[in-house]
Every structure is written in C-alpha cells, then in structure tokens.
Amino acid sequence: MMSVDAPASPAPEAAPPATGATPTRRRRRSLTPWLLIVPTLVIVIAAMGYPIFWQLKTSFQKYGLKQQFNPDLPPDFVGFDNYVKVLTNPDFLAVLGRSILFCFLAAFITVILGFLLALLMKRVGKVARLILQIALLLAWAMPVAASMTVWVWLVDWRNGVLNYLLGKLGLDVEGHNWLADPTTFFVIALIIVIWAAVPFVALSIYAGLSQISEEVLEAAQMDGATGWQRTRHIVLPLIAPVLSIVLLLQIVWDLRVFTQIKFLQDAGGVANATDLLGTYIYKMGVGSADFGSAAAVSVIMLLLTIALSWYYVRSIMKEED
C-alpha cells in the first residue's frame, strides 16, 4: 500500500532587508561628536590662542610703558629688530645655554629618581607603600610659595639649617651664602625643582608598573632572569610610553621654571649670573618695560620647547599608529 506524502508547508516569506537608520538619524549621529567637542575647542582657542597671538604681534613691535598706559598711542612696527637684538645679545645666549642645561639635567634626574621610587613602591609592603604615596602626594600638593619659604629658610646664610648642620660636623661655613655663587645656586635650584617634580613622575610610573602582568615577571624569574635583567628587558620596554610622556612633560616644565629661581634670587642670589629664560623674560618685560623684546624671547622659548620635544612627540605618535 503506497503512502501518500503530506503536502509541503509553504516556505516562510523572506524578511524585508533592514533599511537601517534614516538619513536624518545618521546625520544627527555624525554631528553629535562635533557638537560635544566644539565648546572645548572654543575655550582652548580663547584661552591659549589669544595670548600666543598677542605675543607674536608684540614681538614685531616696539611696545613700552607709553603704549601700555596710553591705548591711543599705537606701537611702532619694527619687524624682526627685536629678534635680531635678542639673538645678538651675549647675555641672552648665556641664559639660553644655562636654561637648556638646567632643563635636561632636572628632567633626566627627575625621571630616574621617579623610576627608582616607583620600583620601591612596587616591591615594599602595603603599609609602607601607602605611607610613601601619602608623603609624595603631600610634597606634590604643597604650594610652590609655601615650599620655597621653607627652602629659603633652610639655606639662609644667617640662620639657615644647612649651615647649622654643616657647622656641627666641623665645617667652617658660618655666614656662608650658598646662593651667592652661581654653581651652588643652581645645585640648590636643581634639588628644589627635582624635589617638587619627583612625586608626579613616581606616581605616574608606578601606575604604569601596576599594569605589567605578574605572570610575565614570574615566568622570566623561573627562566633564570635576574632582577636587573627583568627590569631591563621586560619592565623598561613595557613602560617606555609612560617614561616618554613624563620625560616630555618634565622637559617642557623645567625649561619654563620661574618661581623657584625668582625666590632664590630674592633670597641672596646674583640675579644676572643666575637668570634662566623665565626670569630673563620677566626682567626684560616687567623690569625694563621692553615688552617687544620680552615677547620675542617668549616666542623663541616656544619654538625651543617645540624643537626639544619634537622627537618625543613623533615617537608617541608612531606608537599610537
């Protein structure tokens, strides 16, 4: 007996293709990022663009007290005369050389000490690490004026703690002014600048070290790698981006250092022999009322900052690509 096949059920209708978002909705989505970023761009341009434009314009003008207090008296356009006067001034060239040397010494020593402190925080116990982190945060958060008041008191040639302690050790330093000699002046300035910057660098590098997998370090240790070999071949390559960023920031910050140098100069330093770019611009503008030349030095300082940091910026951009 032959079986009769049941009639096949009708095939389901194909679903209509998804049309996706409407053009209006897609346009609205594409405009949303721009609407969010435009206010930030406007604020940045207003906050940074106008001062830079004013400096550029003033650097090509003869701008003094007459123009500052008399808006109806326009400054004279002098072209590149301010730049020629500055670049042919031996005092400026000496200040420029000191500033670059001071900048690189402070930046590299800061990063080295910050790296060592970050390694220490990584290896000590939880309580010791917490105490160290709090101490670094307190030092970093202290206002510069307050910390400089303490530092000036420490190195004061009349009643300073430094001379007192060295005298207790048998050294004849009573009444010795450490700030009067340019060499010891910059040694003290380096110590102060590095002391203020190390906490930021140490905490930044410690954050990078915390992202390194412990399994990788344990595997290297099981393979016989020493502590120095693990640091050199594993830790340093993995935190190289962090080191590059903090070194770049320190170069920029240490090149434009001003407050620490000004405080030490007022406390007994020889001003002309201890000027860096920050104090040199201040004296040329505020002290001598030569705002055109001061603006020219500011533009040169900006270009120097870009030139010194260009290598690190390119390295960071290549790593992101």
Side-chain angles (χ1 to χ4, degrees), residues 27 40 88 104 113 124 177 191 214 225 244 262 276 299:
R27 192 180 305 112
T40 304
T88 55
F104 277 99
L113 293 179
V124 297
N177 187 359
I191 294 173
E214 293 293 339
S244 299
K262 188 67 172 65
L276 296 183
V299 174

Side-chain angles (χ1 to χ4, degrees), residues 123-243:
R123 296 181 180 180
V124 297
K126 184 177 180 180
V127 176
R129 179 168 60 248
L130 182 60
I131 294 174
L132 184 56
Q133 289 175 344
I134 292 174
L136 291 174
L137 284 173
L138 290 176
W140 185 41
M142 184 179 296
V144 179
S147 63
M148 285 306 302
T149 302
V150 177
W151 280 105
V152 168
W153 172 66
L154 290 175
V155 300
D156 183 67
W157 63 275
R158 294 176 293 268
N159 302 307
V161 177
L162 178 61
N163 284 349
Y164 173 78
L165 293 177
L166 293 177
K168 288 295 184 181
L169 296 176
L171 300 177
D172 185 17
V173 292
E174 183 179 357
H176 179 72
N177 187 359
W178 299 94
L179 302 178
D181 180 47
T183 302
T184 54
F185 177 96
F186 282 113
V187 170
I188 294 172
L190 272 174
I191 294 173
I192 295 173
V193 171
I194 292 170
W195 171 85
V198 160
F200 169 78
V201 175
L203 294 173
S204 299
I205 297 177
Y206 174 74
L209 291 175
S210 301
Q211 304 302 316
I212 299 177
S213 174
E214 293 293 339
E215 288 78 6
V216 176
L217 298 176
E218 291 176 0
Q221 185 177 7
M222 293 177 63
D223 290 339
T226 63
W228 165 245
Q229 290 174 333
R230 295 196 300 272
T231 301
R232 179 183 178 184
H233 298 290
I234 298 177
V235 174
L236 285 176
L238 290 177
I239 65 169
V242 179
L243 294 176

Side-chain angles (χ1 to χ4, degrees), residues 285-304:
V286 178
S288 303
D290 189 359
F291 298 102
S293 298
V297 178
S298 299
V299 174
I300 294 173
M301 185 176 178
L302 175 62
L303 296 177
L304 180 62

Side-chain angles (χ1 to χ4, degrees), residues 17-30:
T19 58
T22 62
T24 304
R25 186 176 300 174
R26 287 199 301 268
R27 192 180 305 112
R28 189 177 302 166
R29 289 179 180 176
S30 62

